mmCIF file of all heavy atoms in Angstrom:
data_model
loop_
_atom_site.group_PDB
_atom_site.id
_atom_site.type_symbol
_atom_site.label_atom_id
_atom_site.label_comp_id
_atom_site.label_asym_id
_atom_site.label_seq_id
_atom_site.Cartn_x
_atom_site.Cartn_y
_atom_site.Cartn_z
ATOM 1 N N ASN A 446 76.370 -179.375 10.392
ATOM 2 C CA ASN A 446 74.962 -179.282 10.619
ATOM 3 C C ASN A 446 74.434 -180.515 11.292
ATOM 4 O O ASN A 446 73.316 -180.608 11.790
ATOM 5 C CB ASN A 446 74.125 -178.965 9.350
ATOM 6 C CG ASN A 446 74.145 -177.459 9.085
ATOM 7 O OD1 ASN A 446 74.173 -176.669 10.013
ATOM 8 N ND2 ASN A 446 74.060 -177.098 7.797
ATOM 9 N N VAL A 447 75.108 -181.585 11.104
ATOM 10 C CA VAL A 447 74.792 -182.820 11.903
ATOM 11 C C VAL A 447 74.745 -182.534 13.400
ATOM 12 O O VAL A 447 73.892 -183.003 14.188
ATOM 13 C CB VAL A 447 75.755 -183.984 11.528
ATOM 14 C CG1 VAL A 447 75.656 -185.086 12.606
ATOM 15 C CG2 VAL A 447 75.481 -184.568 10.268
ATOM 16 N N ILE A 448 75.742 -181.771 13.845
ATOM 17 C CA ILE A 448 75.921 -181.458 15.257
ATOM 18 C C ILE A 448 74.654 -180.688 15.681
ATOM 19 O O ILE A 448 74.117 -180.808 16.759
ATOM 20 C CB ILE A 448 77.248 -180.689 15.531
ATOM 21 C CG1 ILE A 448 78.364 -181.583 15.311
ATOM 22 C CG2 ILE A 448 77.212 -180.102 16.935
ATOM 23 C CD1 ILE A 448 79.750 -180.928 15.367
ATOM 24 N N PHE A 449 74.235 -179.657 14.880
ATOM 25 C CA PHE A 449 73.060 -178.813 15.206
ATOM 26 C C PHE A 449 71.763 -179.575 15.134
ATOM 27 O O PHE A 449 70.883 -179.547 16.027
ATOM 28 C CB PHE A 449 72.967 -177.544 14.233
ATOM 29 C CG PHE A 449 74.049 -176.555 14.612
ATOM 30 C CD1 PHE A 449 75.006 -176.163 13.599
ATOM 31 C CD2 PHE A 449 74.061 -175.916 15.826
ATOM 32 C CE1 PHE A 449 75.999 -175.287 13.903
ATOM 33 C CE2 PHE A 449 75.038 -175.017 16.081
ATOM 34 C CZ PHE A 449 76.020 -174.646 15.146
ATOM 35 N N ASN A 450 71.635 -180.433 14.114
ATOM 36 C CA ASN A 450 70.388 -181.157 13.939
ATOM 37 C C ASN A 450 70.221 -182.370 14.879
ATOM 38 O O ASN A 450 69.126 -182.737 15.207
ATOM 39 C CB ASN A 450 70.256 -181.651 12.491
ATOM 40 C CG ASN A 450 69.996 -180.469 11.541
ATOM 41 O OD1 ASN A 450 69.430 -179.495 11.870
ATOM 42 N ND2 ASN A 450 70.574 -180.609 10.259
ATOM 43 N N TYR A 451 71.366 -183.005 15.161
ATOM 44 C CA TYR A 451 71.306 -184.200 16.007
ATOM 45 C C TYR A 451 72.053 -184.057 17.351
ATOM 46 O O TYR A 451 72.630 -184.969 17.854
ATOM 47 C CB TYR A 451 71.751 -185.455 15.215
ATOM 48 C CG TYR A 451 70.912 -185.824 14.084
ATOM 49 C CD1 TYR A 451 71.126 -185.446 12.785
ATOM 50 C CD2 TYR A 451 69.778 -186.662 14.354
ATOM 51 C CE1 TYR A 451 70.282 -185.753 11.746
ATOM 52 C CE2 TYR A 451 68.931 -187.008 13.335
ATOM 53 C CZ TYR A 451 69.194 -186.594 11.992
ATOM 54 O OH TYR A 451 68.303 -187.007 11.027
ATOM 55 N N ALA A 452 72.020 -182.725 17.833
ATOM 56 C CA ALA A 452 72.777 -182.414 18.979
ATOM 57 C C ALA A 452 72.295 -183.383 20.161
ATOM 58 O O ALA A 452 73.112 -183.803 20.948
ATOM 59 C CB ALA A 452 72.494 -180.985 19.383
ATOM 60 N N GLN A 453 71.017 -183.616 20.287
ATOM 61 C CA GLN A 453 70.421 -184.367 21.342
ATOM 62 C C GLN A 453 71.105 -185.748 21.358
ATOM 63 O O GLN A 453 71.549 -186.306 22.376
ATOM 64 C CB GLN A 453 68.924 -184.560 21.266
ATOM 65 C CG GLN A 453 68.295 -185.434 22.348
ATOM 66 C CD GLN A 453 66.808 -185.685 22.104
ATOM 67 O OE1 GLN A 453 66.233 -185.304 21.077
ATOM 68 N NE2 GLN A 453 66.213 -186.427 23.006
ATOM 69 N N GLU A 454 71.160 -186.474 20.161
ATOM 70 C CA GLU A 454 71.736 -187.798 19.979
ATOM 71 C C GLU A 454 73.181 -187.790 20.265
ATOM 72 O O GLU A 454 73.824 -188.635 20.974
ATOM 73 C CB GLU A 454 71.432 -188.388 18.638
ATOM 74 C CG GLU A 454 70.020 -188.787 18.474
ATOM 75 C CD GLU A 454 69.122 -187.680 17.944
ATOM 76 O OE1 GLU A 454 69.541 -186.447 18.057
ATOM 77 O OE2 GLU A 454 67.954 -187.917 17.593
ATOM 78 N N ILE A 455 73.911 -186.710 19.709
ATOM 79 C CA ILE A 455 75.395 -186.724 19.903
ATOM 80 C C ILE A 455 75.809 -186.505 21.370
ATOM 81 O O ILE A 455 76.609 -187.231 21.921
ATOM 82 C CB ILE A 455 75.964 -185.549 19.017
ATOM 83 C CG1 ILE A 455 75.822 -185.941 17.576
ATOM 84 C CG2 ILE A 455 77.443 -185.231 19.371
ATOM 85 C CD1 ILE A 455 76.220 -184.851 16.595
ATOM 86 N N PHE A 456 75.049 -185.517 22.024
ATOM 87 C CA PHE A 456 75.436 -185.285 23.439
ATOM 88 C C PHE A 456 74.963 -186.376 24.304
ATOM 89 O O PHE A 456 75.601 -186.723 25.346
ATOM 90 C CB PHE A 456 74.935 -183.914 23.962
ATOM 91 C CG PHE A 456 75.661 -182.810 23.309
ATOM 92 C CD1 PHE A 456 74.972 -181.827 22.586
ATOM 93 C CD2 PHE A 456 77.045 -182.653 23.421
ATOM 94 C CE1 PHE A 456 75.667 -180.726 21.933
ATOM 95 C CE2 PHE A 456 77.687 -181.558 22.871
ATOM 96 C CZ PHE A 456 77.083 -180.590 22.133
ATOM 97 N N ALA A 457 73.807 -186.982 24.014
ATOM 98 C CA ALA A 457 73.379 -188.203 24.727
ATOM 99 C C ALA A 457 74.411 -189.352 24.703
ATOM 100 O O ALA A 457 74.713 -189.970 25.679
ATOM 101 C CB ALA A 457 72.001 -188.603 24.273
ATOM 102 N N SER A 458 74.947 -189.540 23.462
ATOM 103 C CA SER A 458 75.975 -190.602 23.308
ATOM 104 C C SER A 458 77.210 -190.271 24.053
ATOM 105 O O SER A 458 78.009 -191.240 24.336
ATOM 106 C CB SER A 458 76.236 -190.893 21.814
ATOM 107 O OG SER A 458 76.876 -189.761 21.276
ATOM 108 N N ALA A 459 77.436 -188.992 24.320
ATOM 109 C CA ALA A 459 78.642 -188.573 25.090
ATOM 110 C C ALA A 459 78.341 -188.542 26.660
ATOM 111 O O ALA A 459 79.162 -188.122 27.376
ATOM 112 C CB ALA A 459 79.084 -187.231 24.604
ATOM 113 N N GLY A 460 77.104 -188.931 26.975
ATOM 114 C CA GLY A 460 76.769 -189.088 28.470
ATOM 115 C C GLY A 460 75.964 -188.003 29.104
ATOM 116 O O GLY A 460 75.870 -187.998 30.277
ATOM 117 N N PHE A 461 75.350 -187.068 28.304
ATOM 118 C CA PHE A 461 74.591 -185.947 28.814
ATOM 119 C C PHE A 461 73.209 -186.285 28.888
ATOM 120 O O PHE A 461 72.572 -186.911 27.923
ATOM 121 C CB PHE A 461 74.810 -184.697 27.992
ATOM 122 C CG PHE A 461 76.231 -184.071 28.010
ATOM 123 C CD1 PHE A 461 77.149 -184.500 27.141
ATOM 124 C CD2 PHE A 461 76.546 -183.186 29.057
ATOM 125 C CE1 PHE A 461 78.420 -183.920 27.159
ATOM 126 C CE2 PHE A 461 77.851 -182.674 29.097
ATOM 127 C CZ PHE A 461 78.712 -183.009 28.125
ATOM 128 N N ASP A 462 72.439 -185.894 29.943
ATOM 129 C CA ASP A 462 70.967 -186.164 30.011
ATOM 130 C C ASP A 462 70.295 -184.894 29.288
ATOM 131 O O ASP A 462 70.938 -184.105 28.679
ATOM 132 C CB ASP A 462 70.488 -186.175 31.447
ATOM 133 C CG ASP A 462 70.803 -184.919 32.268
ATOM 134 O OD1 ASP A 462 71.085 -183.869 31.647
ATOM 135 O OD2 ASP A 462 70.650 -184.967 33.541
ATOM 136 N N ILE A 463 68.939 -184.921 29.330
ATOM 137 C CA ILE A 463 68.134 -183.914 28.518
ATOM 138 C C ILE A 463 68.601 -182.508 28.959
ATOM 139 O O ILE A 463 68.763 -181.611 28.189
ATOM 140 C CB ILE A 463 66.596 -184.132 28.586
ATOM 141 C CG1 ILE A 463 66.218 -185.400 27.780
ATOM 142 C CG2 ILE A 463 65.821 -182.905 28.052
ATOM 143 C CD1 ILE A 463 64.783 -185.706 27.896
ATOM 144 N N ASN A 464 68.543 -182.348 30.248
ATOM 145 C CA ASN A 464 68.846 -180.995 30.832
ATOM 146 C C ASN A 464 70.281 -180.553 30.447
ATOM 147 O O ASN A 464 70.516 -179.351 30.015
ATOM 148 C CB ASN A 464 68.725 -180.900 32.287
ATOM 149 C CG ASN A 464 67.305 -181.225 32.777
ATOM 150 O OD1 ASN A 464 66.353 -180.764 32.246
ATOM 151 N ND2 ASN A 464 67.138 -182.182 33.746
ATOM 152 N N GLY A 465 71.260 -181.525 30.633
ATOM 153 C CA GLY A 465 72.641 -181.125 30.185
ATOM 154 C C GLY A 465 72.786 -180.936 28.683
ATOM 155 O O GLY A 465 73.540 -180.157 28.260
#
Side-chain angles (χ1 to χ4, degrees):
N446 277 332
V447 163
I448 294 172
F449 287 116
N450 291 327
Y451 290 97
Q453 181 189 2
E454 287 85 346
I455 290 170
F456 288 123
S458 69
F461 293 92
D462 60 15
I463 291 180
N464 300 315

